[in-house]
Amino acid sequence: MTDGPTPAAHVPTPDGGDPTLPELVMAWGRGWARCRGTPAPTAVPGGFRVEVGRPGHRVRYVLHRHDAAVLNDLGRRLTAPGTWVKVMGSPAGLRDALPPHWTMAPVDHLMSAPFGAGVVTPPAPYTVRIDTTGEAVVATVVDSTGSPAASGRLGPAGSYGVVDQVETTPAHRRRGLGTIVMRALADHGARHGLRTGILVATDDGRGLYESLGWTPHSTVAAAFIPED
């Protein structure tokens, strides 16, 4: 990977064409589950369902297109606290389709970029470690004492690689370590047959990822049933 941003206006699929939004969403679901250690997603009409199994986030439905009738049906049928629905589309449309007992969550952004192999050199005194022992690849930047300074995960999904949980500890921020993690994951993915990266970014993170060559494809609206 080069030191500068990688243009990502065209993101090829394995057959050389552009990926469809459903293809990106379904691949993201598979890779996300590997990163988070949850069961694999199961298909539902228009998307997938995954058992997250965590307090406040028990189960998640993700739909790759906004369908008011489908969302209204889900909103009425799903009543268990800790249930989430995410859909590619506007938050206003999701809010209108759901009953009042659903709470809106902040908007995210589905993004992708081509992976490319290249030398990843962190600033001194940091080094990069890659762990491939689990279902997800973990890239960790460590300081001179061996303590983690930044890390991120990569979940393979066919020829796609889902980047997730990229974090830098507070004491090591503003040193470009998150970018080093992203490049290390892209380099590893490219060297192991993954052609396209996918991630879901927050509003705050979108600008950073765009500066690194990631292309936004859709806003991701989300709502949930609160759990005490």
Side-chain angles (χ1 to χ4, degrees):
M1 183 179 298
T2 61
D3 289 337
T6 302
H10 174 78
V11 180
T13 59
D15 62 4
D18 289 325
T20 63
L21 187 59
E23 182 179 354
L24 289 173
V25 170
M26 299 304 283
W28 173 64
R30 298 194 303 274
W32 185 91
R34 299 189 74 169
C35 286
R36 301 295 178 113
T38 71
T42 56
V44 299
F48 63 85
R49 177 183 189 273
V50 61
E51 295 285 345
V52 181
R54 294 173 184 169
H57 202 152
R58 304 294 179 177
V59 61
R60 169 189 288 194
Y61 290 79
V62 179
L63 306 180
H64 46 67
R65 69 183 181 91
H66 185 279
D67 184 314
V70 171
L71 289 170
N72 185 262
D73 178 64
L74 283 176
R76 287 185 292 102
R77 288 193 297 105
L78 303 176
T79 58
T83 301
W84 283 69
V85 169
K86 296 196 173 193
V87 62
M88 305 302 117
S90 74
L94 179 59
R95 176 69 279 175
D96 289 345
L98 295 177
H101 65 276
W102 288 82
T103 297
M104 297 299 294
V107 171
D108 291 327
H109 306 273
L110 182 72
M111 309 181 74
S112 71
F115 278 165
V119 176
V120 180
T121 306
Y126 299 101
T127 56
V128 178
R129 298 176 181 172
I130 301 292
D131 181 3
T132 61
T133 56
E135 285 200 36
V137 176
V138 180
T140 305
V141 177
V142 299
D143 63 16
S144 58
T145 69
S147 299
S151 63
R153 292 175 174 265
L154 177 68
S159 67
Y160 294 99
V162 174
V163 176
D164 189 43
Q165 294 179 302
V166 177
E167 300 174 345
T168 303
T169 60
H172 298 275
R173 289 176 182 165
R174 300 188 181 278
R175 302 179 189 180
L177 301 185
T179 299
I180 293 296
V181 169
M182 294 289 293
R183 290 175 173 167
L185 293 174
D187 172 73
H188 180 89
R191 295 179 187 277
H192 291 80
L194 305 183
R195 297 187 56 186
T196 302
I198 308 172
L199 59 77
V200 169
T202 63
D203 259 346
D204 289 340
R206 173 179 170 171
L208 170 63
Y209 293 125
E210 284 187 304
S211 74
L212 297 176
W214 290 72
T215 297
H217 292 276
S218 175
T219 55
V220 184
F224 61 99
I225 302 174
E227 180 178 63
D228 293 336

